[in-house]
């Protein structure tokens, strides 16, 4: 078993090196953040799911990074439909981005429950292949280190699905999180607690702390795929992709990644200065680069 894992990790390292060398000489593999603007939230989910399904079809052992919250729900629903239609997800594994601290895993809003009910069960994934950070560990630091080790052991995340908070967070990396941060405990920003209160009976029930993959952890995923819908995200999206690379907008870390895609509905894209350019670029995308 150890030997098989080692071989997988080695093969991935080799394929990363090949991709980076190819990228250096042909500019394939290192590119701008790709921004795709679609008319509706439903189309955002379908397009993101198509991109992921395209990868799973070519690489059945794909490791997904899983976001929770409302933004990725349409992606998971579409992937479940594609699985019904024959997409083989039997060897896919997943690592959730984050978990609340102190919420029992049986609580319906724990991310262990949310991932089980929105991803693992509808997609029919093997539960042993789906991981969520431990927000109940006595030794949180050791649990965070073990989570990082589990991601590395799986060969790293291939496609990291991301939503974005109205304050620019990804995962629960709140503003001013270090770009090099790893999985760790964080204090949720008051704005985040307020935004997430809709999932609980009252604001008081929303935990104050979480465990989240760090920005450094997220940056190591081979592909980043951020989706955002609705006007409430428009300022954060604009700051993330067109503003300065600054830890006060944690999602601006996407600008540093070699393969990041941002899929938006019109409302979430409404504050982008270069929207017309992104539309033009997407319309003129060479066929070999398309996934839809
Ligand atoms: C949660 C996560 C967060 C959410 C963000 C947006 O796992 O990664 O960064 O993506 O808070 O939440 P929604 O999608 O509910 O607006």
């Amino acid at each position: 078993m150890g030997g098989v894992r080692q071989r997988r990790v080695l093969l991935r390292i080799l394929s990363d090196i090949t991709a980076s060398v190819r990228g250096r000489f042909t500019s394939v593999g290192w590119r701008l953040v790709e921004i795709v603007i679609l008319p509706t939230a439903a189309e955002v989910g379908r397009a993101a799911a198509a991109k992921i399904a395209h990868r799973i079809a070519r690489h059945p052992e794909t490791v997904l990074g899983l976001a929770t919250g409302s933004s990725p729900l349409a992606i998971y629903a579409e992937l479940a439909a594609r699985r019904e239609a024959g997409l083989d997800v039997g060897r896919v594994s997943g690592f959730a981005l984050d978990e609340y601290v102190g919420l029992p895993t049986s609580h319906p809003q724990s991310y262990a429950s949310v991932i089980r009910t929105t991803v693992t069960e509808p997609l029919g994934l093997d539960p042993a292949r789906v991981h969520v950070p431990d927000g109940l560990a006595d030794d949180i630091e050791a649990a965070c280190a073990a989570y990082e080790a589990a991601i590395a052991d799986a060969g790293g995340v291939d496609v990291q699905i991301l939503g974005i908070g109205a304050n620019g967070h990804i995962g629960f990396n709140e503003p001013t999180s270090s770009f090099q941060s790893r999985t760790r405990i964080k204090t949720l920003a008051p704005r985040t607690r307020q935004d997430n209160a809709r999932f609980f009976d009252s604001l008081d029930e929303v935990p104050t702390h979480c465990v989240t993959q760090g920005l450094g952890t997220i940056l190591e995923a081979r592909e980043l795929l951020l989706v955002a819908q609705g006007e409430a995200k428009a300022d954060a999206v604009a700051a993330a992709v067109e503003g300065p690379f600054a830890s006060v907008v944690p999602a601006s870390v996407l600008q540093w990644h070699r393969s990041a895609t941002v899929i938006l509905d019109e409302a979430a894209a409404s504050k982008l200065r270069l929207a017309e350019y992104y539309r033009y670029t997407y319309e003129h995308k060479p066929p070999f680069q398309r996934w839809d």
Side-chain angles (χ1 to χ4, degrees):
M1 188 64 189
V4 174
R5 277 220 180 103
Q6 269 176 359
R7 214 168 48 239
R8 281 194 62 205
V9 172
L10 199 67
L11 280 173
R12 278 174 194 273
I13 291 170
L14 281 174
S15 103
D16 280 0
I17 292 171
T18 315
S20 86
V21 169
R22 197 166 8 111
R24 190 150 309 153
F25 292 112
T26 66
S27 86
V28 171
W30 299 86
R31 57 174 172 77
L32 300 173
V33 178
E34 179 176 17
I35 296 159
V36 179
I37 302 170
L38 299 172
T40 65
E43 281 165 89
V44 170
R46 273 199 297 275
K51 187 164 171 57
I52 295 165
H54 185 65
R55 177 169 174 114
I56 293 173
R58 284 176 299 135
H59 303 283
E61 296 200 351
T62 290
V63 179
L64 294 177
L66 302 166
T68 50
S70 309
S71 308
L73 291 177
I75 302 179
Y76 301 143
E78 175 69 20
L79 284 175
R82 284 172 179 257
R83 178 222 171 203
E84 288 284 313
L87 178 70
D88 179 6
V89 295
R91 284 185 282 160
V92 169
S93 37
F95 285 88
L97 273 173
D98 38 26
E99 176 59 290
Y100 290 115
V101 166
L103 214 55
T105 51
S106 58
H107 190 290
Q109 292 310 326
S110 75
Y111 286 169
S113 292
V114 172
I115 290 287
R116 180 171 46 75
T117 54
T118 63
V119 182
T120 314
E121 290 176 354
L123 269 74
L125 299 185
D126 174 358
R129 288 178 181 266
V130 182
H131 311 267
V132 180
D134 184 353
L136 294 170
D138 290 333
D139 186 343
I140 292 265
E141 268 189 42
C144 291
Y147 200 65
E148 290 273 339
I151 294 174
D153 208 27
V157 169
D158 293 308
V159 184
Q160 176 62 61
I161 300 165
L162 297 165
I164 183 169
N167 65 359
H169 73 212
I170 52 173
F172 278 141
N173 293 283
E174 300 288 23
T176 72
S177 290
S178 159
F179 285 136
Q180 296 206 25
S181 51
R182 312 299 308 188
T183 303
R184 68 211 184 289
I185 188 166
K186 284 289 288 179
T187 308
L188 290 168
R191 170 85 196 256
T192 303
R193 289 188 67 240
Q194 244 153 29
D195 286 348
N196 285 8
R198 69 189 193 279
F199 296 116
F200 293 82
D201 289 336
S202 72
L203 178 60
D204 288 344
E205 282 183 31
V206 184
T208 51
H209 291 82
C210 64
V211 169
T212 181
Q213 286 188 36
L215 295 175
T217 319
I218 292 169
L219 211 46
E220 282 172 10
R222 290 177 186 80
E223 271 187 62
L224 303 183
L225 177 55
L226 186 145
V227 290
Q229 308 90 344
E231 206 181 337
K233 301 294 176 68
D235 283 318
V237 165
V241 301
E242 292 182 340
F245 178 60
S247 66
V248 75
V249 182
S252 67
V253 78
L254 263 73
Q255 298 177 29
W256 193 248
H257 196 273
R258 71 179 182 198
S259 184
T261 305
V262 175
I263 308 183
L264 308 166
D265 68 1
E266 290 287 351
S270 59
K271 303 269 174 75
L272 291 173
R273 281 184 301 123
L274 300 180
E276 283 319 310
Y277 166 62
Y278 308 137
R279 287 194 182 92
Y280 177 87
T281 309
Y282 186 60
E283 273 166 28
H284 294 85
K285 202 168 147 131
F288 73 92
Q289 284 187 344
R290 299 199 80 92
W291 70 79
D292 46 357

